[in-house]
Amino acid sequence: KAGVTQTPRYLIKTRGQQVTLSCSPISGHRSVSWYQQTPGQGLQFLFEYFSETQRNKGNFPGRFSGRQFSNSRSEMNVSTLELGDSALYLCASSQSDRAKAFFGQGTRLTVV
Amino acid sequence: DAKTTQPTSMDCAEGRAANLPCNHSTISGNEYVYWYRQIHSQGPQYIIHGLKNNETNEMASLIITEDRKSSTLILPHATLRDTAVYYCIVRAPNSGGYQKVTFGTGTKLQVIP
């Protein structure tokens, strides 16, 4: 069974640009969560989607948004990039609310 | 959400058992305790989870105190590959279909040859 796939693995963007990151969950998993990881703040929850509906959102500005498609694949978008958005963005999928989550390898975003 | 408290770092000799503690004194009755670990620059990896009873799988054992206010993750025979940051997480109740996971700062386990 293929794991959680995140694309791209690495990305360099300029301040002010926008970026879209993609996550393909494990087949059959309907829940997808996104996290931001930085050295200073650690792992922080961004949002979670289940059956195309956002069910929870972390404490991030509106520049961070996401969506989930009918095949459970998910994207997150960050607009008007700031230097502080440089981070490892992780996606996790799970089968049900309380199931163990499987993480992808992440997308490392660098904003210059 | 219930918060967790873990030591910042721990050392363990290779081949010995690594015991990683976690305090979650505000845990509510229907919240589960999950453990994940993150090896440098990789995505976190699920290890084990439990509600009340002790749990064991091929990777580790989870001991939860009777009052559920703390737990211990046990790696029975630590190897160098177990060097990682270990996160203890308490899942919020599934109220109305909502779920939120809060990661703390974790414990950096260094396995020493």
Side-chain angles (χ1 to χ4, degrees), chain B:
Chain B
D1 296 338
K3 297 291 186 285
T4 61
T5 304
Q6 300 176 253
T8 304
S9 63
M10 293 180 65
D11 291 339
C12 178
E14 189 178 16
R16 303 296 295 270
N19 297 284
L20 294 96
C22 179
N23 285 321
H24 31 79
S25 58
T26 59
I27 190 170
S28 57
N30 58 347
E31 289 182 314
Y32 287 72
V33 180
Y34 286 74
W35 282 83
Y36 291 81
R37 72 179 182 184
Q38 186 174 25
I39 297 170
H40 184 62
S41 296
Q42 296 183 21
Q45 176 191 22
Y46 165 85
I47 301 173
I48 198 167
H49 75 281
L51 180 63
K52 292 181 183 178
N53 301 319
N54 299 338
E55 303 286 345
T56 296
N57 63 19
E58 65 279 3
M59 288 182 67
S61 294
L62 173 61
I63 308 297
I64 302 174
T65 59
E66 191 170 341
D67 63 8
R68 304 212 320 124
K69 293 184 177 181
S70 65
S71 60
T72 301
L73 177 75
I74 301 172
L75 308 178
H77 305 287
T79 70
L80 297 179
R81 288 178 295 180
D82 292 323
T83 293
V85 177
Y86 287 77
Y87 295 98
C88 167
I89 296 150
V90 174
R91 283 196 184 270
N94 181 25
S95 173
Y98 284 82
Q99 173 188 7
K100 183 175 175 180
V101 176
T102 302
F103 282 79
T105 54
T107 296
K108 182 170 174 53
L109 175 68
Q110 182 71 49
V111 180
I112 303 167

Side-chain angles (χ1 to χ4, degrees), chain A residues 10-21:
Chain A
Y10 302 92
L11 203 52
I12 299 175
K13 289 286 189 178
T14 304
R15 270 180 303 176
Q17 286 186 313
Q18 75 165 18
V19 66
T20 299
L21 311 181

Side-chain angles (χ1 to χ4, degrees), chain A residues 35-86:
Chain A
Y35 297 84
Q36 181 196 64
Q37 187 172 34
T38 59
Q41 299 295 322
L43 262 167
Q44 292 188 288
F45 173 82
L46 277 158
F47 26 65
E48 189 228 350
Y49 287 88
F50 185 86
S51 294
E52 302 179 66
T53 302
Q54 186 182 90
R55 297 201 299 182
N56 217 326
K57 193 175 192 301
N59 188 26
F60 279 82
R63 300 185 297 107
F64 292 80
S65 63
R67 58 178 177 168
Q68 187 179 33
F69 302 96
S70 59
N71 62 359
S72 293
R73 190 177 70 84
S74 178
E75 289 181 347
M76 68 162 281
N77 183 276
V78 187
S79 62
T80 321
L81 283 166
E82 301 176 359
L83 295 179
D85 297 332
S86 294

